[in-house]
Amino acid sequence: MAWTQQEVRELKEGRYMLLDDEPCRILSIQMSKPGKHGEAKARIDAVGLFDERKRSVVFPVTHKVQVPLIGKRQAQVVSLSGSEAQLMDLETYEMFAMPVDDEMKAQLAPGAEVQYIDAMGKRRITKA
């Protein structure tokens, strides 16, 4: 289990939540007032961390949502081959390969340190 639960009213912009089983960063939250027979609703706009798709949902503010546990870690680039980088985590010394896009590849070099995020079994380089 790589997530916890929170009520929608506890969420803030810039934090994370799961939408369609994809970890997403919250871009904006708009709360509506409760009506005569209803409860307050929240419209949440978010963007996926790994697929970068925008998503919008509307939930009651008392609805419980899943919040992924995001790990921000440091790694060292061991080698570059094609569109893949071989990295070593600086805490656990675990070796793993990660796909790299062309603009990130220009910033990477063997021996350089990078920051990556680890969530729900997926990884992505955030800073070179």
Side-chain angles (χ1 to χ4, degrees), residues 2-128:
W3 52 267
T4 61
Q5 279 192 339
Q6 276 188 335
E7 283 190 356
V8 171
R9 75 174 92 223
E10 299 169 354
L11 297 175
K12 294 184 176 16
E13 291 178 14
R15 301 263 175 95
Y16 304 97
M17 69 182 290
L18 282 179
L19 292 174
D20 304 327
D21 291 329
E22 179 71 24
C24 298
R25 185 171 43 85
I26 298 171
L27 299 175
S28 67
I29 299 177
Q30 296 144 353
M31 301 277 188
S32 66
K33 293 183 179 181
K36 185 174 180 181
H37 298 288
E39 58 182 311
K41 304 269 191 304
R43 177 187 169 87
I44 301 171
D45 295 320
V47 64
L49 289 179
F50 301 107
D51 63 1
E52 297 185 7
R53 283 186 36 217
K54 286 193 175 186
R55 296 170 169 86
S56 294
V57 291
V58 176
F59 289 127
V61 294
T62 57
H63 184 76
K64 293 208 182 265
V65 294
Q66 297 173 344
V67 177
L69 300 174
I70 307 287
K72 294 182 180 172
R73 311 187 107 194
Q74 296 285 334
Q76 182 177 11
V77 178
V78 177
S79 68
L80 292 168
S81 61
S83 63
E84 196 170 86
Q86 188 79 16
L87 302 173
M88 178 182 67
D89 188 287
L90 293 177
E91 286 183 29
T92 63
Y93 303 110
E94 173 190 3
M95 299 282 288
F96 55 91
M98 192 177 300
V100 180
D101 56 357
D102 292 333
E103 64 183 47
M104 185 66 76
K105 188 177 176 183
Q107 300 173 5
L108 297 179
E113 290 187 11
V114 295
Q115 183 179 23
Y116 71 97
I117 55 174
D118 184 14
M120 305 292 292
K122 298 178 183 178
R123 295 178 175 138
R124 179 178 166 206
I125 297 175
T126 55
K127 289 184 186 174

